[in-house]
Amino acid sequence: MTPGHRRPFTKAQSTLVMLTFMNRLRQLVLPSCAAIAAATAIAVTGASAPQNASTAPSSAPDDIHKIQHIVIIMQENRSFDSYFGTYPGADGIPMQNGVPTVCSPDPRARDCQKPYHDTNDLDRGGPHGDTSATGDIDGGKMDGFLRQAEAHFPGCRDANDPHCPGGSSPDVMGYHDNREIPNYWAYAHDFVLQDRMFESNASWSLPAHLFLVSEWSALCSSPGDASSCRNELEKPNYPPDFNYAAHRPHRRGPPDYPWTDLTYLLHHSNVTWAYYVFGGTEPDCANGQATCTPVPQRAKTPGIWNPLPYFDTVKQDGELGDVQDLSRFYSAAAAGTLPAVSWICPTGQYSEHPPALISRGQAYVTGLVNAVMSGPDWNSTAIFIAWDDWGGFYDHVVPPAVDQNGYGLRVPGLVISPYARQGYIDHQTLSFDAYVKFIEDDFLGGARIDPKTDGRPDPRPDVRENATQLGDLRADFDFTQTPRPPILLPGGIDPLPH
């Protein structure tokens, strides 16, 4: 199998994309005439000749340095099949004559529910901790999603239960397409879609974000002592905003993460970075709960989506100021002063974390992408978009086993860049570890977060960037091509007050 290919939309599919955009204009913020023209242009590009991966021009190894800015946009709680399960050419929901050939047993209804098109803007999802991941995967059968959700939502016998919108069963088997998420599908069509992007770890948001910045999730018995840390996939030290009575056993007070994170390597190589936090709320969810009470979130209030301030390296290197309010991202994008590495953490209502509206999250992400595309740094930037875990939603692909931590279930992955291949579907096995690997190869000469070489020993089980299964994000780029112009999609919003 080739690592990726492009399959152009049919005329009917292209028309549907264009009509969907026009319909969204009536629902979202009215775009400029230029944005409408861009939306129409996207529909037209489906008729252009495809570039086969086997004949695509290769790039020299050092061409990765054409990327001087990496922006990682991390959204929340969606599986690949729930967003791209019917995308043309992707490894999506198995179908025959347009009808799914797979199903998940429903203990309450005593039948097997097939995936179905979900038109709701508000989803509820299901539990997504480590035990739920094991249950959903079910030894490779990938059929435990309804069992897990119904066990978590015992009141789902009532069709009016808000946990079960539209029926007496959870919505974990529902999928969306370009009628609900036209901009995400447009990005896939015009740039790169990754159909084997897996969460680094098989668990929930806090471990996922710890892996995103440090390649490990651990529970440490002695503050400041990395040797006291032990692998912990489900219950690392929780932030103090958690309800400790519900999440014992944990000591009170701020957690301490003494193991090495990526910012340590970046700082010592004089590579700039920022972790942008959208102030508002985050869900007070642990142990894989699907929905829960929100708590306040700010750049200066660390939490499950904002763990970096609890890392010893960040404090010792004097870099707490690099954890910033999201408003600073928009300013940097407009001024052409983006740091080399940016992570962007959402707020609850724009995160797509159930019960947040999908349309609101898509509009926010589109606004972030448009901000980069409209700024001076576009020609040297790579934007990676992913969702931190599967959120309990159905996916049919069995995650590869890498170590005791994962991989977790499959999530959507998008690559947007002036050097990204057009309409390319990347079939490599990837995880969020690939982001860290790409950053290290681009800015750190291939150095890794490795306790044997980075001068800060810790007992992590392995060096995740070196996993033999892990693909290389270079395959998603053609560094020989002339940088592609921006494509500003309609409906993008900057939700911050100015």
Side-chain angles (χ1 to χ4, degrees):
M1 179 181 293
T2 57
H5 67 276
R6 178 181 180 213
R7 178 177 295 182
F9 281 7
T10 65
K11 182 177 180 180
Q13 289 165 336
S14 295
T15 301
L16 179 58
V17 171
M18 182 172 64
L19 292 176
T20 304
F21 276 134
M22 298 305 106
N23 182 56
R24 289 307 246 178
L25 299 181
R26 300 183 183 94
Q27 303 173 39
L28 299 171
V29 178
L30 183 65
S32 65
C33 292
I36 295 174
T40 305
I42 288 173
V44 174
T45 58
S48 61
Q51 182 183 54
N52 189 287
S54 62
T55 60
S58 59
S59 301
D62 289 340
D63 281 349
I64 189 176
H65 302 312
K66 290 183 177 180
I67 301 300
Q68 300 172 26
H69 310 280
I70 294 171
V71 178
I72 300 171
I73 301 172
M74 188 59 65
Q75 291 292 96
E76 294 290 318
N77 292 44
R78 302 287 163 172
S79 71
F80 183 89
D81 277 344
S82 73
Y83 268 12
F84 291 98
T86 57
Y87 188 87
D91 182 5
I93 299 167
M95 299 268 192
Q96 186 172 8
N97 299 321
V99 178
T101 59
V102 290
C103 63
S104 183
D106 185 340
R108 285 203 189 113
R110 298 183 180 179
D111 63 8
C112 200
Q113 184 179 122
K114 294 178 181 291
Y116 63 92
H117 179 222
D118 182 356
T119 62
N120 291 310
D121 198 14
L122 187 156
D123 294 325
R124 292 291 174 174
H128 42 278
D130 61 345
T131 56
S132 298
T134 300
D136 286 350
I137 295 168
D138 192 19
K141 296 177 184 178
M142 305 304 292
D143 67 357
F145 298 87
L146 279 168
R147 283 194 297 268
Q148 294 296 311
E150 290 178 350
H152 186 78
F153 294 141
C156 272
R157 295 178 179 86
D158 181 0
N160 295 317
D161 189 320
H163 286 153
C164 313
S168 59
S169 182
D171 56 14
V172 294
M173 297 302 291
Y175 64 82
H176 301 283
D177 61 23
N178 57 341
R179 287 167 284 186
E180 294 81 45
I181 47 173
N183 286 14
Y184 289 151
W185 275 48
Y187 289 140
H189 173 248
D190 229 54
F191 295 98
V192 176
L193 173 67
Q194 299 158 325
D195 70 357
R196 284 185 62 81
M197 171 63 75
F198 298 90
E199 182 190 358
S200 293
N201 54 291
S203 191
W204 60 289
S205 286
L206 176 56
H209 285 77
L210 289 172
F211 268 89
L212 181 66
V213 297
S214 76
E215 298 286 39
W216 199 26
S217 174
L219 181 64
C220 308
S221 58
S222 299
D225 182 5
S227 67
S228 74
C229 301
R230 296 294 178 265
N231 198 75
E232 180 49 63
L233 185 60
E234 180 71 14
K235 299 178 181 179
N237 281 124
Y238 293 147
D241 55 16
F242 266 61
N243 178 352
Y244 280 87
H247 306 314
R248 292 175 179 170
H250 282 285
R251 61 180 178 83
R252 289 185 178 273
D256 181 76
Y257 303 141
W259 66 90
T260 303
D261 69 284
L262 182 58
T263 71
Y264 174 81
L265 301 184
L266 296 175
H267 174 73
H268 286 273
S269 292
N270 297 312
V271 178
T272 58
W273 65 270
Y275 195 95
Y276 295 104
V277 179
F278 190 166
T281 63
E282 67 179 19
D284 184 18
C285 285
N287 302 322
Q289 296 179 72
T291 57
C292 45
T293 304
V295 296
Q297 171 182 271
R298 297 286 185 274
K300 304 307 178 186
T301 56
I304 62 174
W305 296 346
N306 177 25
L308 273 177
Y310 291 132
F311 276 89
D312 289 358
T313 60
V314 176
K315 292 178 284 190
Q316 292 166 2
D317 290 339
E319 295 198 295
L320 286 171
D322 290 322
V323 181
Q324 303 175 11
D325 186 82
L326 181 61
S327 61
R328 301 282 294 276
F329 170 80
Y330 291 105
S331 299
T337 57
L338 286 173
V341 180
S342 301
W343 293 272
I344 301 181
C345 154
T347 190
Q349 65 175 324
Y350 292 95
S351 68
E352 297 163 68
H353 187 297
L357 298 182
I358 295 170
S359 61
R360 189 172 288 164
Q362 179 184 243
Y364 152 72
V365 171
T366 301
L368 294 173
V369 174
N370 285 352
V372 176
M373 288 183 170
S374 300
D377 290 331
W378 163 246
N379 277 356
S380 57
T381 297
I383 302 171
F384 300 127
I385 304 174
W387 285 255
D388 74 338
D389 63 55
W390 81 111
F393 292 102
Y394 174 76
D395 194 81
H396 79 281
V397 173
V398 181
V402 176
D403 55 22
Q404 65 264 49
N405 292 318
Y407 296 143
L409 280 87
R410 198 171 58 144
V411 298
L414 295 164
V415 179
I416 300 170
S417 174
Y419 292 104
R421 301 190 190 279
Q422 184 177 1
Y424 186 80
I425 301 178
D426 186 350
H427 300 308
Q428 296 181 98
T429 296
L430 299 167
S431 74
F432 305 155
D433 306 330
Y435 299 152
V436 177
K437 179 179 178 180
F438 191 88
I439 291 167
E440 292 167 340
D441 289 347
D442 192 0
F443 299 116
L444 300 175
R448 302 291 185 238
I449 306 176
D450 184 346
K452 295 181 179 178
T453 61
D454 60 25
R456 302 189 79 255
D458 61 50
R460 66 183 65 207
D462 49 22
V463 178
R464 272 303 196 80
E465 306 95 297
N466 293 337
T468 57
Q469 298 98 322
L470 185 65
D472 192 329
L473 292 177
R474 284 184 177 93
D476 295 340
F477 298 86
D478 178 2
F479 293 117
T480 67
Q481 70 188 16
T482 301
R484 297 167 55 196
I487 301 174
L488 301 176
L489 298 189
I493 62 172
D494 173 357
L496 296 179
H498 292 279

